[in-house]
Amino acid sequence: MLERLAPDLHSIGPNPRNLLGIEDLQRPEIEHLLERGRFYKAVRRTEKLTTLRGRSIVNLFFEPSTRTRTSFEIAAKRLGADTISISALGTSLAKGESLVDTLNTLAAMNPDIIVMRHAASGAPHFLSRYLSTAMINAGDGLHEHPTQALLDALTILEVKGSLVGLRVAIIGDIAHSRVARSNLHLLSKFGADIVVCGPATTVSRNLTRLGPGIRLTHQMREAVRDADVIMMLRVQLERQNVEVFPKGEYFRYYGLSLEHVGLAKPDAIVLHPGPINRGREISSEVADSQRSMILSQVENGVAIRMAVLEWVCEE
Ligand code: CP
């Protein structure tokens, strides 16, 4: 479908370095990004860095965002880059310009990186074939959210030390979650023991093909039992064209309560990419508990995005 948007475009070369998804990355590349994320987290916030001095970065968000957009902007500024954030409502797309023409227009102003979030799965992959500007995927439809998986991995590693053999339960609206897909790619590359859990309408058998060590269940208690990490997902009402489960009953079957956390390992941690829907997929008692890493994830988002911006700009 995306090809039809630009039948006359010709691929450019040589291609710049992009970050489009975790699926494309080799384990050493992920390890490098996590290491640099750890490094940048340790750098004092007051320290002026010049790593990306003279570089310009465009944040182009066609969907709402608080965490990703703000942290990319903070990350760019901390590295000394110039940055501008644009939302779809404020662009000429509202006047009928196509996505391809908008991207070519922005690229003609010679930014070094375009960070893009778009509702269409594959949009950054498609556009990157025709742009000489490096592109970072800040979330594409149901497909991938690579920087979220990297910051999740950094958060887990800080507490657990390793991903190998770690029992990770990924629970919720799996079918509509780009966070789940990126995490499945990353965690399976690192030898985690992963159980995916959600309503039958959102958990496809095809998920086990994303990597080794992935099992499926529809039983919440089975998923959380003996887990080291419980990763909850937001119910993505905005992506559900049909009602895939009764919304009023969701918490009863797939909401995380303190009782569920009690079934996990005594030192288990709880992750959620945000924004959280209290009382829908997670109780306030869990979200605000000592086990919750939600705000650590947000903090690590800045460090990981610094690492990613640096990596994309490397010669
Ligand atoms: N986790 C995440 O992508 O949050 P935002 O939509 O606020 O960026």
Side-chain angles (χ1 to χ4, degrees), residues 64-69 117 145 148 273-275:
S65 169
T66 299
R67 283 146 280 267
T68 312
R69 180 171 157 164
R117 170 172 287 189
H145 192 348
Q148 180 70 45

Side-chain angles (χ1 to χ4, degrees), residues 171-211:
I171 300 168
D173 181 9
I174 308 289
H176 300 99
S177 178
R178 55 197 176 204
V179 174
R181 289 180 71 84
S182 286
N183 266 295
L184 285 168
H185 283 302
L186 191 152
L187 292 166
S188 63
K189 283 180 204 277
F190 281 79
D193 170 18
I194 309 160
V195 57
V196 176
C197 175
T201 45
T202 76
V203 177
S204 156
R205 228 187 291 243
N206 290 338
L207 290 166
T208 57
R209 295 199 200 132
L210 295 185

Side-chain angles (χ1 to χ4, degrees), residues 136-173:
I136 297 174
N137 180 7
D140 64 317
L142 316 177
H143 182 225
E144 280 228 37
H145 192 348
T147 55
Q148 180 70 45
L150 288 166
L151 73 88
D152 289 344
L154 180 60
T155 307
I156 297 169
L157 285 169
E158 282 178 340
V159 183
K160 301 292 178 190
S162 167
L163 299 173
V164 182
L166 219 55
R167 175 99 196 267
V168 183
I170 303 181
I171 300 168
D173 181 9

Side-chain angles (χ1 to χ4, degrees), residues 191-237:
D193 170 18
I194 309 160
V195 57
V196 176
C197 175
T201 45
T202 76
V203 177
S204 156
R205 228 187 291 243
N206 290 338
L207 290 166
T208 57
R209 295 199 200 132
L210 295 185
I214 301 173
R215 291 176 293 118
L216 311 178
T217 179
H218 304 302
Q219 302 301 323
M220 180 85 175
R221 295 170 76 85
E222 185 188 327
V224 296
R225 199 176 302 281
D226 296 327
D228 296 288
V229 178
I230 303 173
M231 185 180 290
M232 300 305 295
L233 302 172
R234 185 170 69 82
V235 175
Q236 312 236 340
L237 295 178

